[in-house]
Amino acid sequence: MEFDHILIRYGEMALKGKNRKRFYSKLQDNLRKVLAEFPEVKVKRTQGRMFVHLHGHDPMPVMDKCKEVFGIQSLSLAIKIANDEQEIKDAALYALKNSTGTKTFKISVKRIDKNFPVRSQEFNKDVGAHLLVNTEGYTVDVHHPDLELKVEIRTEATYITSEVIKGAGGFPVGTSGKSLLLLSGGIDSPVAGYLAMKRGVAIEAIHFHSPPFTSERAKQKVLDLASELTNYGATIKLHIVPFTKLQQFIYQEMPERYTMTIMRRMMLRIGEAICEKESILSMTTGESLGQVASQTMESMNCINEVTNYPVLRPLITMDKLDIIDISRKINTYDISIRPYEDCCTIFVPKAPKTKPKREKVNYFESTADFAPLIQEAVEGTEIITITKERKEEQYEDLF
């Protein structure tokens, strides 16, 4: 006897009414992709539950992969047995004896198969008595047990689980449409992408590259950040926009204090053009209210004027330390702090306008023709598709 399955529990998805099937199917697809490196492991779905059949594989690396998949509320190692009273009692005994640090336990029977001959409450007592008779040193505590053994009697089989491990939560990536992430190379934007994906959003990314003022190492940093995000979204298409010409024009022709505001407006205009080409319905940024001059309420009001597309700002009310905590958790922090400048940190005005006015910005922009430069930037965009396989190949090349 052994723990041979992983039981997957849903969270918010269970409230989706008639749309639940679409969410479950997407989760199953995403799980299969994440677990593709374990060819013997299979993902199966029954009514109201999803299971990962281990087929003898070590459960720990599989569990670690499952914990990163959005849409999973919690998961547990499970023993699958037939709907046989004695077999269930023996499996519960095995689970108790193989637990660690347990002195008190509780049995919770859920009888989904109403043809099972013993009612839930009665079977709770039967299984508990079997464990007490066949062990020493354990007691029952129904309020605060060290271990809760859950016995789920379903039509096709019975599953026994013990430890409940928290999953990533959220919705399966791909169930909430697609957004274009403005990926700078700093700490914030990868975290914004991660949180958008947690709500089921599939991500494409756009990066503004300004050689020779920004280096190939800065570009590589963005590629590495996008690669880390593939752990949660499988494939990410990265649009690298040649931004040097437009950025130089802004700083030569526009009033210095407004250059930052106008540069951001140009980024959204280019982002919107990419969205139209790729049938993407929104943009996502790593903006956090009040963090820098471009992220004051007045600046965002002014910058947002140039697009009718929704701009998702998952970090808008978060503190910097909270953002850093998440970046460490998703392994993007060490990449983000590499000392290579992106286009937002060059040509920085000495005193950027923190309360820009729409009418002034519109007047300044009306004195120059930006359209050809925007079109040139969009047409010159390089597209790189980043997959998990590409990431692994890059790491293999290091050895």
Side-chain angles (χ1 to χ4, degrees):
M1 189 171 293
E2 61 180 357
F3 287 96
D4 52 2
H5 283 68
I6 297 171
L7 185 149
I8 305 294
R9 299 184 186 86
Y10 313 128
E12 236 178 297
M13 282 195 299
L15 306 175
K16 290 297 176 185
K18 292 180 180 178
N19 290 319
R20 277 182 297 185
K21 186 176 179 182
R22 179 172 67 86
F23 283 77
Y24 295 162
S25 294
K26 192 63 183 173
L27 175 59
Q28 189 172 13
D29 286 346
N30 291 350
L31 257 179
R32 282 174 173 160
K33 288 175 184 172
V34 166
L35 300 179
E37 63 187 273
F38 311 112
E40 67 274 33
V41 172
K42 304 297 178 188
V43 182
K44 294 187 176 180
R45 183 157 54 98
T46 63
Q47 189 173 11
R49 279 282 184 268
M50 195 174 294
F51 298 94
V52 176
H53 193 167
L54 294 167
H55 286 291
H57 197 283
D58 179 3
M60 289 304 114
V62 181
M63 293 276 279
D64 288 342
K65 289 289 183 183
C66 291
K67 285 190 287 186
E68 294 179 345
V69 177
F70 293 129
I72 297 176
Q73 188 68 22
S74 67
L75 57 161
S76 296
L77 276 175
I79 303 171
K80 181 182 180 182
I81 60 264
N83 292 351
D84 177 83
E85 291 182 44
Q86 189 57 49
E87 202 169 328
I88 294 171
K89 291 175 183 175
D90 291 343
L93 183 62
Y94 172 85
L96 177 65
K97 286 184 174 178
N98 282 277
S99 66
T100 55
T102 302
K103 293 183 179 177
T104 60
F105 71 89
K106 172 186 177 181
I107 305 294
S108 297
V109 174
K110 189 174 183 180
R111 191 176 61 119
I112 297 166
D113 178 8
K114 300 305 180 189
N115 292 319
F116 190 76
V118 188
R119 296 175 71 87
S120 297
Q121 287 301 321
E122 185 180 346
F123 202 47
N124 266 336
K125 297 175 185 174
D126 291 350
V127 176
H130 182 76
L131 301 191
L132 290 172
V133 166
N134 289 282
T135 57
E136 292 182 355
Y138 296 105
T139 58
V140 174
D141 183 342
V142 297
H143 299 294
H144 305 289
D146 296 329
L147 180 73
E148 181 177 5
L149 285 171
K150 296 184 178 181
V151 180
E152 191 167 306
I153 303 170
R154 305 181 65 85
T155 304
E156 74 282 3
T158 293
Y159 296 87
I160 293 181
T161 61
S162 53
E163 186 181 6
V164 177
I165 298 166
K166 188 177 179 182
F171 294 132
V173 173
T175 56
S176 299
K178 186 182 283 186
S179 190
L180 184 67
L181 171 67
L182 275 65
L183 189 60
S184 67
I187 293 171
D188 300 340
S189 53
V191 175
Y194 166 80
L195 292 177
M197 286 192 280
K198 185 173 182 178
R199 294 308 293 171
V201 178
I203 287 292
E204 291 193 17
I206 183 170
H207 176 70
F208 296 89
H209 190 41
S210 295
F213 305 104
T214 58
S215 66
E216 283 302 305
R217 288 184 173 182
K219 180 178 172 181
Q220 184 60 49
K221 185 166 80 164
V222 171
L223 289 170
D224 292 344
L225 289 170
S227 290
E228 283 302 321
L229 292 177
T230 63
N231 287 328
Y232 311 95
T235 299
I236 292 180
K237 191 188 282 187
L238 176 61
H239 304 262
I240 298 181
V241 178
F243 201 50
T244 311
K245 212 168 175 181
L246 180 52
Q247 196 169 13
Q248 285 180 309
F249 184 77
I250 292 169
Y251 283 89
Q252 288 166 1
E253 302 296 330
M254 296 291 106
E256 184 187 8
R257 294 196 69 191
Y258 273 84
T259 52
M260 179 271 300
T261 305
I262 293 170
M263 182 188 74
R264 296 282 181 179
R265 285 162 63 100
M266 296 301 156
M267 287 177 169
L268 287 193
R269 287 185 172 111
I270 292 170
E272 185 175 298
I274 298 292
C275 284
E276 287 176 1
K277 287 178 70 174
E278 300 291 331
S279 300
I280 299 172
L281 299 182
S282 72
M283 288 179 269
T284 299
T285 73
E287 291 164 307
S288 173
L289 187 59
Q291 190 180 116
V292 294
S294 65
Q295 295 169 22
T296 63
M297 193 68 79
E298 292 82 358
S299 285
M300 286 191 288
N301 175 273
C302 200
I303 292 165
N304 225 110
E305 184 189 19
V306 301
T307 181
N308 287 321
Y309 275 57
V311 178
L312 310 183
R313 296 181 169 95
L315 313 184
I316 196 66
T317 61
M318 293 179 66
D319 292 339
K320 189 69 178 184
L321 291 179
D322 295 332
I323 297 168
I324 289 174
D325 285 345
I326 298 176
S327 72
R328 291 185 192 279
K329 174 184 161 189
I330 64 175
N331 298 321
T332 57
Y333 179 78
D334 289 340
I335 302 172
S336 292
I337 62 172
R338 291 178 194 164
Y340 310 123
E341 290 191 310
D342 57 52
C343 72
C344 298
T345 55
I346 59 175
F347 301 120
V348 178
K350 292 177 182 175
K353 199 77 177 172
T354 56
K355 295 182 179 180
K357 305 291 185 187
R358 283 187 175 190
E359 58 272 20
K360 285 192 176 181
V361 176
N362 282 312
Y363 169 73
F364 295 142
E365 288 183 356
S366 72
T367 63
D369 186 7
F370 288 98
L373 292 170
I374 292 173
Q375 185 177 354
E376 185 178 334
V378 171
E379 291 176 351
T381 297
E382 176 189 9
I383 298 176
I384 300 174
T385 300
I386 299 173
T387 63
K388 290 178 68 66
E389 290 75 20
R390 176 190 172 96
K391 176 185 174 184
E392 283 155 10
E393 286 170 7
Q394 285 176 334
Y395 285 137
E396 285 172 4
D397 290 343
L398 296 175
F399 298 98

